[in-house]
Every structure is written in C-alpha cells, then in structure tokens.
Amino acid sequence: MEENLTGLSAGEVEAFKNQGKCGTGAAQITRSRGQIVKDNLFTLFNFLNFAIAALLFTVGAYSNMLFLAIILLNIVIGIAQEFKAKKLVDELSILNRPTVCVRRDGKDIRVGLEEVIRGDLTVLESGSQICSDAVVVSGALEVNESLLTGESDAVVKEKGSKLYSGSSVIAGKACAKVTHVGGENYAARLANEVKKEKKVQSELLRSMRRVTNFTSFLIVPLGIALFLEAFLLCRSPVEEAVVSSAAALLGMLPKGLVLLISVSLAAGVIRLARMKILVQNIYSLETLAHVDTLCLDKTGTITDGKLKVCRVIPMSSLPQGDTDRMVCAYMAACEDNNATFQALKEKFPPREGDRPVHTIPFSSKRKWGCVSFDQMGTVFVGAPEKLIGTLPENLEREMEKGRRAVVVGFSGQLWTDAERLTAGIVPWYSIVLEDTIRPNAEKTLKFFRREGVDVKVISGDHIKTVSMIAKRAGLERWMDGVDMSLQGETPDYDMLCRKYSVFARVTPGQKRELVRALKRQGHQVAMTGDGVNDLLALREADCSIAVADGSDASRQISQVVLLDSDFTNLPQVVLEGRKVVHNVTRTAQVFFIKTIYSVLVSLFCLLTNQPFPFIPIQITLVDACIEAYPSFLTILESDTRRIRGKFLPTALSHAAPFGITVTAMIMMLSLSAPFSEPERKTVMYLLLILISMAAVVRSCLPFTGLRAFICVTMAVGTFAALRLLPTLFEVTAVTSQMAVTLLFGVVISGLILFLTEQILAAAGARCNFSGKMKHFEI
C-alpha cells in the first residue's frame, strides 16, 4: 500500500490536537515566579531572623526590630533580580527551541517541536536533527545513532525503518511518520534522566550550606544559654535578657551574603544574556570560572562545521565549460546537503541543464554517489580512493596537510547499481576542501593557555586532520596527538590524558572516559559539544557547553548554550564567573567578621557571666552601613584575575584576624575599662565600628574612584547616624578619658591584628608544607 505523502490536513491536525496527540510545550529551564518567591522567602536564614524578631516583638523591643527592614529589602532585591534574569533567559531560550519540517496539506512548513502531531509527516535531509521518534515511509537516509549505540558508523534507514529522536541525518532525504511526541520520545526521556543524575557543582553553594549548618547548630543552644545567663545569673529583666541574646544571635547570621551570591550570579547571567549566551544553570558561571581543563570538539567549535574549496585540480583535457556545466547539473539534481556538498555547491552553483534520469545519493558507507543524465552519461562524486584508486602525488601532499578531497568523474553509460562502481570512470576534477577555522579561534585558545587552562581537542576525525586543524588554530607548541582507534579495547585513559592534548578517532564512550579520567586526576573539566555523540561526555563534565546549531539533546542538558554557536565567546563566560567569585569572596570577608566575633564574644560572656555588649539596633547599623552598602556597590566591579584558592578558606582566613581582634578588645575593655557600663559599651561599639571599617578599607585596596567614595561615605554615614540618633543606638557622648582609651584601643587593635595575621599565615604555610610533604611521600 502506497503511503500518503501529502501529510496531515488542517482538519486532522486540529482533531489530533484535541485528542492530546501533540507534543508538550517546551520545558522551562528557569524556575517559575512562584518558585523564585518561595526560594527567596522560605530560607533557614529568614526563619531564624523572623524568629528573633518575634521574640523582640513579644517583649516590646520594637526599635531593635529595625533589622527586619534589611531582611525584607534583601528578599525584595533578590526576587526582583531573579525575575529580571528569568525574563531575559526565557526570551533567549525561545531562540534555542528546535523546529521541525513537516508536510501538511502537501506543503512543507516548519513548526515548533511542541506543535508536532503524532502521525505528522516529517521531511528529513542531511544535517537534520531527528526530534521525534518516527518510521521512514519514503526515501532513504544514513543516520548517526551514536547516542543510542555508542558507535559513530552511519546506519542506513530505508522504508519501514525506525528512527529515534536524538539521532541526526548524515546523508539522504526521506519522509518519516511520527510515532512518539513530547516526553514519549527517546531523546526526551534520555535528557531528563541525564538532568536528574547531574548535580549542581558550586563551591559557593556548598560553602554557604556549611556556614548555614554551622550557625544553625550554634544559634539555638547559645541563644538559650545567653538568655538564661542574663535572666537567672545576672538578674536582668526579661526584656534586657531577650534584647542582649538577640544581638548575639543576629551577629552570627551573615544575612546579606546569601543574597549577595544570588544577585552576583543573576547579574552575570543578565550580562551574558545580552551577549546571546544562554546560562541554563546559574551556578555554572562559578563552575566555569574554576575550570582548568577545557575539552573541545574540532567540528563546530574550533571549526565552524563548514568546509570551503581551496583548490580545484583538473584531471582531464576536456573543455572546462562542458565539465562545469555537467557538474553544476549534478549539484542541481542531487539531494545531498552535508558540509561537503554545501561547499561543492558554492563552488559549482546548482544549475538546471541535462535531464537527470536516475540518482544514487552519496553514502559515507560506499563513499560515492552519482547522477545519470538522459543520453549523456553519469557524473560521479566520491572519495579519491574509490574513483581513481592510487592518489597522485600532488593530492597526497594535500591530504598530508589535513585537508580532504573528493573526485568528480564521468562515465558514458547510465549507472543504476548502488552496490558497485562501473569500470572506466574518467576523472575530471580533484577538489580539495578544508575546514573553516572560526574567526578569533587562535586568540581564544591563547587566552585559555595564558590563563592556565589546558585545552584538549577531541574529535572523531583522522589524527592527521585533527592535528593539522589544531596546528592552524595555534596549538602547535603542545600538540601531541593520539589515534584512539589504535589503543585497543581498554585504553589507559589516565596515561593518555597526561601525555596527549589531541585525540582522534574518538567514540562517544571514549569521550566520556577521557572526561572521567581528567576528573580523577583532580581537574575541573568543561566540555563543549554540538552533537548527540557528545552527550555522554557533557553529562560527565563539571560544566557542559553546547552550541545553538548543534543537536537538540546536547542543548537540553548543557548548562551554557552559545546562541551564536561561536566558542570564541567562552572567555566572556569565564570572565563573568571570575567577577562573581572575586566580588563575593572579597565582600564575604567583611560579612564573616561579625559571625566570628559574635560566636567568640558569646562564649566569653557565658564564661565570665556578662551580658552580650551590643543590642540588635547597633548590629543593624553595622549590617547596613559597613557590610551591605559597600558590598552591593562594588559587586559589579570587573575583577577578572585568575582564581586561586577556595572560597570559604580564603574568606575566613581574611576575616579571622579582624574577628579575633574585635573579640580581644571586647575582652580587655570588659575586664579593665574604668567606665560606667553605658560608657564602656559605647567605647566597645566604636572600636567595633572602626575595626570593621578597617576591614572594608583593606578589601577595597587598591583604591579606585568608586572604592574611595564608598569608604568615605561609609564612615560619614555611620558616624552621622550615631551623632543624630544617639538615643536610638544607645551610645553616650565621648569624654576625653573615653577618647584616650579609644585611641589606645585602636593602637592595640592594630598590633593584635598584625600579630594574628602573622600567626595564621605561618600556621597556614605549615599546613600547606605538611600537605605537600604527605603528597610527596605517597
């Protein structure tokens, strides 16, 4: 029975849609608005802060609840920034959605994947992605099913053969009837499984979870202990006991730091979205900033996936006009549309001429194709070894340069046998083609090399071709290559990764194993890919990057999609990630000072039976003027230096000397200052402000115009608030004796800070030396 090749009618499409036989809408890669609000509102930090506010409200300490304004502002800013990022990313994701060519009412149209109907007739040709499972009803295809089988060899699909989504068409043209849509498709199920298996790799996220767990573990028992000590042992009224305890607990919570991280990442995503770089996982910005090994596929990354004709070598004495006319007629009659034929058609523009009577499509398996013309003969296009046997010397030299060649030949007879070649083919031309290197590819690779990122080139092509492409792209200095097809069944991937930079004849499974080996060796690995054969390796990589004109499956599971399909934009992603990590690390140093001294001072107060020396409104002023204000004004600064060290150890090592200094000064003043309690607390608070400001000034070095402005306005704003609202902040006027003590405290603080930094630096150096010796001994 002959299949209907006109496709579905408009009435059938509408009926099938009503029956639910169409694809589902594109999955949202961003969180919904409700989920964003929920994730910003219902956090452990917010719960603890609101719990403290409830206790203060219960005892009527309303002025000390002002910190809630900062919490609410944090929530509003976080939600607004994520909404903005979501809008841009959703708009870009529309450009990233696949379209499918379907035949309806006899006309070929392109529709979104979600509009494909079960029973639709899809039109597939060379280069098409198979987006829905289907059955071939006419024509023939050669399909790459490496994702399904792990084998990169082409699979011939003829009438009645099943096609699976996630495959791609290498050659041929056919119509196929859709059997599965939406989530029923093979590729959709596979992509969803891959997404579920891959966890978010984020040092910032892990670090904040550790800080959250630590403070949550301490805050409840310390809060209860401080309250009982103030109420039972110090005989303080309930209100004073609650206020004192609340101040200690508020200091332990780095309230703005979680917001700072999310806003920094969202700002980076927004900047990249404007460059048409789609970040599908917000934390991949940070991950790529830490990458020290970048794995690149040759085709679609270093090269743009296109070929160009660089030489045409005549091989016969026939008049050139006649041969060109026949070759152009061949190009008009053949349906092949892969990169080779696109380059040939550019050199020999398709032009209707002699009437074609039979066509054998080009096949990568037989490595030739032909078109027979009525009363003329047959034009053949194929690999040199197939059409002419022994390669001439000049063609051998071209092949040694990593180029490829096809031969155009002619036979006077009409040829219809696709299983064998006729004898006596007269060669007309040898056409030499080469891959097109992307503009700025060499500059991009030099950037990664300069920044300490090792580049590995992984390709399924011949070693000579891959090596020459790598050399043309500027990798000749470190271009040791290996042919993976010669490595046996169980290659030593760890050894190969250490020894080589270029890998050829690589199967999809071998790509995955190479990435795994690099990760076993402690590398942070990014993988770029454009085809379904890259999917397994993309899943394994710490950061996966796809190009927009690649396969749908690779785009679905990748964390970053280059919508202009140009890997030379990757440095922008790396630099944005570095901005985020550097700015968050620098500002986190100031946030952690308060956490450190709040814990240490609380323990000191418990041991010496003293109330916590500060109140919540005082901590709120430090939060707003010394932590939040400088942090959020400098968060968009462009610090793109190479990242060294881990976020949490780096931030804590810079914060610890200041936190210890604050604690030491409070201990000294608590035990020895000859003042009344309000005066002593005022001196302590002013010293706390000065030491915290010194930390901000230190983090702003070297000064820029913006940083100098921030430091000056921070100091002016803080002291102006104390001057204008002394009663609110419960500070007393500074006497001459208090001023002398304050000056003495500043000098002592400087000495303690210097000694603490030296001790911690020496301790860190010993730890590093011991670790290196241990590693050496192993």
Side-chain angles (χ1 to χ4, degrees):
M1 180 179 175
E2 191 68 26
E3 288 282 351
N4 175 22
L5 298 182
T6 61
L8 299 176
S9 66
E12 288 173 322
V13 170
E14 192 63 33
F16 285 149
K17 282 184 177 179
N18 293 334
Q19 295 171 23
K21 293 184 178 180
C22 59
T24 55
Q28 288 289 320
I29 63 172
T30 57
R31 293 178 296 168
S32 67
R33 290 180 176 271
Q35 192 174 8
I36 290 174
V37 172
K38 176 184 173 184
D39 291 348
N40 278 274
L41 189 59
F42 298 106
T43 66
L44 181 57
F45 275 166
N46 287 344
F47 170 76
L48 293 172
N49 279 293
F50 282 119
I52 294 169
L55 292 174
L56 291 170
F57 181 82
T58 302
V59 298
Y62 305 125
S63 62
N64 283 293
M65 294 174 60
L66 191 60
F67 71 90
L68 275 182
I70 296 177
I71 301 300
L72 294 173
L73 187 62
N74 284 350
I75 293 171
V76 170
I77 292 173
I79 292 173
Q81 190 78 342
E82 288 204 46
F83 276 2
K84 184 177 180 181
K86 171 185 168 60
K87 180 176 180 293
L88 277 173
V89 171
D90 286 346
E91 287 172 354
L92 281 183
S93 67
I94 294 173
L95 303 176
N96 193 35
R97 290 176 188 168
T99 59
V100 184
C101 182
V102 298
R103 184 170 294 167
R104 292 177 180 171
D105 289 323
K107 297 180 180 179
D108 293 348
I109 60 173
R110 299 202 72 85
V111 299
L113 187 57
E114 66 275 10
E115 298 178 60
V116 175
I117 308 293
R118 192 182 300 124
D120 249 328
L121 201 63
T122 60
V123 181
L124 302 169
E125 60 183 1
S126 178
S128 297
Q129 295 293 322
I130 299 173
C131 298
S132 297
D133 299 343
V135 175
V136 178
V137 296
S138 73
L141 302 170
E142 288 188 21
V143 175
N144 182 328
E145 290 186 340
S146 56
L147 177 62
L148 288 68
T149 64
E151 299 294 334
S152 57
D153 293 337
V155 180
V156 177
K157 300 287 186 177
E158 298 175 328
K159 186 175 179 179
S161 299
K162 292 182 179 180
L163 301 174
Y164 294 96
S165 57
S167 308
S168 56
V169 179
I170 299 172
K173 186 172 182 178
C175 293
K177 188 175 182 179
V178 173
T179 57
H180 292 137
V181 293
E184 301 172 352
N185 282 315
Y186 172 80
R189 297 197 306 269
L190 182 66
N192 288 334
E193 289 175 9
V194 171
K195 283 182 176 178
K196 288 176 184 176
E197 288 180 19
K198 190 161 185 176
K199 296 180 180 179
V200 173
Q201 301 288 332
S202 169
E203 186 192 355
L204 294 178
L205 192 61
R206 287 195 305 269
S207 298
M208 288 313 301
R209 282 175 180 164
R210 289 171 65 184
V211 172
T212 302
N213 293 337
F214 175 75
T215 53
S216 302
F217 175 78
L218 286 180
I219 202 165
V220 175
L222 271 179
I224 294 173
L226 286 169
F227 172 78
L228 293 176
E229 183 232 16
F231 182 65
L232 297 178
L233 300 181
C234 297
R235 305 292 184 181
S236 300
V238 174
E239 179 184 343
E240 288 185 16
V242 169
V243 170
S244 175
S245 304
L249 303 185
L250 284 173
M252 296 177 196
L253 299 171
K255 293 181 282 294
L257 192 53
V258 176
L259 172 68
L260 187 73
I261 293 172
S262 62
V263 169
S264 298
L265 290 169
V269 169
I270 290 169
R271 286 193 294 267
L272 290 174
R274 289 171 179 153
M275 302 178 203
K276 291 194 175 180
I277 299 172
L278 176 60
V279 181
Q280 304 195 104
N281 180 334
I282 194 169
Y283 288 100
S284 57
L285 264 186
E286 174 210 344
T287 306
L288 194 54
H290 287 285
V291 160
D292 62 11
T293 305
L294 176 63
C295 298
L296 298 173
D297 188 14
K298 176 187 72 67
T299 305
T301 50
I302 295 178
T303 65
D304 59 9
K306 299 178 182 178
L307 296 173
K308 67 177 181 180
V309 175
C310 59
R311 283 191 68 189
V312 177
I313 305 172
M315 301 184 72
S316 72
S317 58
L318 289 175
Q320 187 172 346
D322 292 340
T323 55
D324 283 359
R325 176 178 58 81
M326 293 287 287
V327 176
C328 291
Y330 176 100
M331 296 302 165
C334 78
E335 296 178 342
D336 301 302
N337 194 38
N338 59 25
T340 299
F341 278 89
Q342 288 174 10
L344 292 177
K345 289 177 181 179
E346 188 173 338
K347 183 66 179 177
F348 298 95
R351 188 166 55 245
E352 299 292 341
D354 301 289
R355 186 171 67 89
V357 293
H358 188 76
T359 300
I360 299 176
F362 183 90
S363 161
S364 58
K365 186 174 183 179
R366 60 175 171 263
K367 295 185 178 179
W368 61 271
C370 67
V371 175
S372 296
F373 295 95
D374 187 27
Q375 298 182 355
M376 290 292 297
T378 303
V379 177
F380 291 84
V381 173
E385 62 270 22
K386 288 290 183 179
L387 298 190
I388 61 175
T390 304
L391 271 63
E393 187 177 339
N394 59 349
L395 204 54
E396 279 278 8
R397 286 197 298 269
E398 296 291 345
M399 302 290 278
E400 287 174 359
K401 295 177 182 177
R403 294 168 176 163
R404 61 188 74 181
V406 295
V407 169
V408 178
F410 178 77
S411 172
Q413 58 183 315
L414 302 182
W415 195 252
T416 59
D417 189 350
E419 300 300 321
R420 64 185 183 90
L421 275 170
T422 182
I425 296 175
V426 179
W428 281 352
Y429 294 123
S430 287
I431 303 173
V432 181
L433 304 104
E434 67 179 4
D435 293 280
T436 306
I437 303 292
R438 287 191 183 276
N440 298 320
E442 184 174 354
K443 180 180 177 182
T444 302
L445 295 174
K446 284 182 178 178
F447 165 83
F448 284 114
R449 187 180 180 190
R450 184 175 65 249
E451 297 298 322
V453 178
D454 189 18
V455 177
K456 306 285 187 183
V457 179
I458 303 175
S459 176
D461 277 349
H462 189 276
I463 182 65
K464 192 171 291 184
T465 302
V466 182
S467 297
M468 292 306 297
I469 290 293
K471 185 175 182 179
R472 286 171 55 203
L475 302 178
E476 68 275 5
R477 293 185 182 176
W478 42 295
M479 193 214 57
D480 296 326
V482 59
D483 189 335
M484 293 297 293
S485 64
L486 304 177
Q487 299 304 308
E489 293 184 3
T490 55
D492 185 346
Y493 291 102
D494 292 280
M495 180 276 293
L496 293 171
C497 285
R498 285 192 294 268
K499 189 175 180 181
Y500 298 105
S501 297
V502 176
F503 300 86
R505 297 296 190 196
V506 182
T507 67
Q510 288 174 331
K511 284 190 178 186
R512 176 182 61 188
E513 293 304 320
L514 287 169
V515 172
R516 284 178 173 174
L518 289 166
K519 291 176 68 177
R520 280 196 301 271
Q521 294 168 16
H523 295 292
Q524 192 93 353
V525 183
M527 174 75 196
T528 65
D530 64 341
V532 291
N533 59 320
D534 299 315
L535 201 60
L536 299 175
L538 289 170
R539 178 179 62 185
E540 290 297 328
D542 296 300
C543 185
S544 49
I545 305 156
V547 292
D549 56 10
S551 69
D552 301 322
S554 66
R555 296 200 306 270
Q556 286 177 42
I557 72 161
S558 292
Q559 296 157 310
V560 177
V561 180
L562 306 175
L563 291 178
D564 55 4
S565 299
D566 189 352
F567 97 104
T568 60
N569 286 329
L570 274 182
Q572 293 298 326
V573 187
V574 174
L575 296 178
E576 285 297 333
R578 289 182 177 180
K579 289 179 189 177
V580 171
V581 174
H582 281 308
N583 288 330
V584 170
T585 303
R586 176 174 47 79
T587 54
Q589 300 166 14
V590 180
F591 280 91
F592 284 143
I593 292 172
K594 182 159 57 66
T595 302
I596 292 170
Y597 76 68
S598 294
V599 172
L600 296 178
V601 171
S602 297
L603 294 174
F604 168 74
C605 291
L606 287 173
L607 291 174
T608 58
N609 192 23
Q610 295 188 51
F612 193 79
F614 309 122
I615 58 175
I617 190 65
Q618 293 175 333
I619 299 296
T620 300
L621 181 64
V622 173
D623 285 341
C625 293
I626 303 178
E627 290 183 1
Y629 170 69
S631 299
F632 284 95
L633 281 188
T634 59
I635 200 171
L636 301 181
E637 285 193 327
S638 182
D639 186 352
T640 58
R641 292 170 296 130
R642 193 186 309 179
I643 296 171
R644 303 184 186 278
K646 300 289 186 180
F647 162 69
L648 195 55
T650 301
L652 288 176
S653 66
H654 285 84
F658 290 94
I660 292 170
T661 301
V662 171
T663 306
M665 294 311 301
I666 289 173
M667 291 170 61
M668 291 173 59
L669 291 170
S670 297
L671 298 174
S672 60
F675 304 121
S676 64
E677 185 175 345
E679 291 176 333
R680 186 170 65 249
K681 287 185 176 181
T682 297
V683 173
M684 289 182 189
Y685 186 51
L686 292 175
L687 270 176
L688 166 64
I689 288 173
L690 292 172
I691 295 170
S692 300
M693 285 183 177
V696 174
V697 172
R698 170 81 68 86
S699 72
C700 286
L701 296 176
F703 278 123
T704 62
L706 174 63
R707 292 182 177 187
F709 171 80
I710 288 170
C711 290
V712 171
T713 52
M714 169 188 68
V716 171
T718 304
F719 288 113
L722 295 177
R723 175 69 177 171
L724 295 173
L725 301 168
T727 305
L728 177 65
F729 294 105
E730 296 190 12
V731 291
T732 63
V734 178
T735 64
S736 58
Q737 189 179 13
M738 290 169 65
V740 171
T741 304
L742 192 59
L743 180 61
F744 179 76
V746 169
V747 174
I748 297 297
S749 296
L751 291 174
I752 295 173
L753 182 63
F754 174 77
L755 291 174
T756 306
E757 287 180 334
Q758 296 301 311
I759 292 169
L760 291 177
R766 281 198 298 272
C767 289
N768 288 337
F769 178 75
S770 300
K772 290 178 182 178
M773 288 300 295
K774 185 177 181 181
H775 176 74
F776 176 77
E777 289 168 3
I778 291 173

